[in-house]
Amino acid sequence: MRIGIIGAGRIGSTLARHFAAIGYDVAIANSRGPDTLADLMGDIGGPIRAVTAEEAARFGEAVVVSIPYGRYQELPTEPLRGKVVIDTCNYYPERDGHDPELDGDATTSSEKIQAHTGANLVKAFNAIYWENLRDHARPQGATDRVAIPLSGNDEEAKAAVAGLIRDIGFAAVDAGHLGEGGRKHQPGSRVYATEMSSAETSALLHVA
C-alpha cells in the first residue's frame, strides 16, 4: 500500500518511520516544503520521499492527516475525496483557537475534517503519546500489544486502518461511528493518553 502523510510532526514522522520499516511506500509532507525534510529522510531511510501536501494526498492509497486541527481547512480536498484518510488530529482550543461548534459539542473535529475533505475518514492514533507509538510496538502474536482506538463511518475504511495498526505492532479497537465513537477517544475521554490492552480499552469504550 502507498501511504501519504500530511504533517511531519511527532505522530506523522513516527508513523512514517513505522510504515517505511515494514516496506510500505511513504510520501510525507510538511507545511514548509520538501527541502526542509532532508534530515528526516536521511534518518528514516527506506521507501520514503519528501513531497508537497498535494502530492502526498495524491500519492497515498491511504493518507494520514497529522496537522494542528486549526489548520484543517488548508488540506487539499480534491485528491482526498473518497480516499481512506486517517485523522490523528485533536482539538486544543488554546492552540487552535476556539471553535464554537466543538466547544458546544455539536459535532467533533473529525466530522468537520471529513465534511471538508469528502474522505472516508477514520480517526486513529490521536489518543496515544507519540513516545509510546515510537517505542511500544510489539511483534505479531504478542499478547501485550498496546491498543489503538479507531472510529469511522465506513466499515471498509476502518478495516483497512485496523490492518495498518496491526501491521506496525499495535492492537486495533473499534470505538464505533465517527461522531459517537470519536468522542470516546478524543481529549478528555477515559482512554485518551492511556496505554492499555485491547480488552481494557474495549471495556472503557463500552462504558463510555
Side-chain angles (χ1 to χ4, degrees):
M1 183 182 290
R2 297 189 310 275
I3 308 290
I5 300 178
I6 300 175
R10 288 172 170 174
I11 293 291
S13 60
T14 299
L15 287 173
R17 190 181 304 277
H18 279 312
F19 290 136
I22 58 176
Y24 284 121
D25 287 327
V26 178
I28 187 169
N30 65 7
S31 60
R32 295 174 293 147
D35 291 346
T36 66
L37 293 170
D39 288 345
L40 181 65
M41 297 301 96
D43 186 42
I44 292 178
I48 185 169
R49 69 201 74 177
V51 298
T52 66
E54 178 90 12
E55 289 168 337
R58 294 192 181 281
F59 175 84
E61 296 170 88
V63 180
V64 176
V65 170
S66 191
I67 62 175
Y69 164 76
R71 301 184 65 177
Y72 81 89
Q73 292 182 327
E74 299 174 18
L75 289 168
T77 55
E78 187 276 326
L80 295 177
R81 190 167 294 114
K83 279 193 175 181
V84 175
V85 166
I86 304 168
D87 169 30
T88 79
C89 306
N90 288 311
Y91 169 56
Y92 300 113
E94 65 276 10
R95 178 196 66 189
D96 301 315
H98 281 279
D99 184 318
E101 290 184 308
L102 300 186
D103 290 342
D105 199 30
T107 186
T108 64
S109 61
S110 293
E111 289 173 295
K112 295 193 73 168
I113 295 172
Q114 179 175 255
H116 176 69
T117 59
N120 293 327
L121 190 139
V122 178
K123 188 178 189 72
F125 300 110
N126 73 296
I128 185 170
Y129 283 124
W130 77 272
E131 297 98 332
N132 293 343
L133 181 63
R134 180 191 63 193
D135 298 335
H136 294 171
R138 295 291 183 267
Q140 185 174 1
T143 59
D144 60 342
R145 281 188 162 190
V146 174
I148 302 286
L150 71 157
S151 53
N153 298 336
D154 185 287
E155 294 302 319
E156 290 186 6
K158 282 199 292 187
V161 175
L164 291 173
I165 291 170
R166 291 191 292 267
D167 285 349
I168 65 171
F170 295 86
V173 178
D174 190 346
H177 289 166
L178 200 56
E180 180 184 359
R183 285 179 170 90
K184 295 179 180 180
H185 57 103
Q186 66 185 8
S189 67
R190 297 180 70 181
V191 303
Y192 179 73
T194 61
E195 190 176 23
M196 296 182 293
S197 69
S198 56
E200 292 169 323
T201 300
S202 295
L204 283 181
L205 290 172
H206 180 71
V207 170

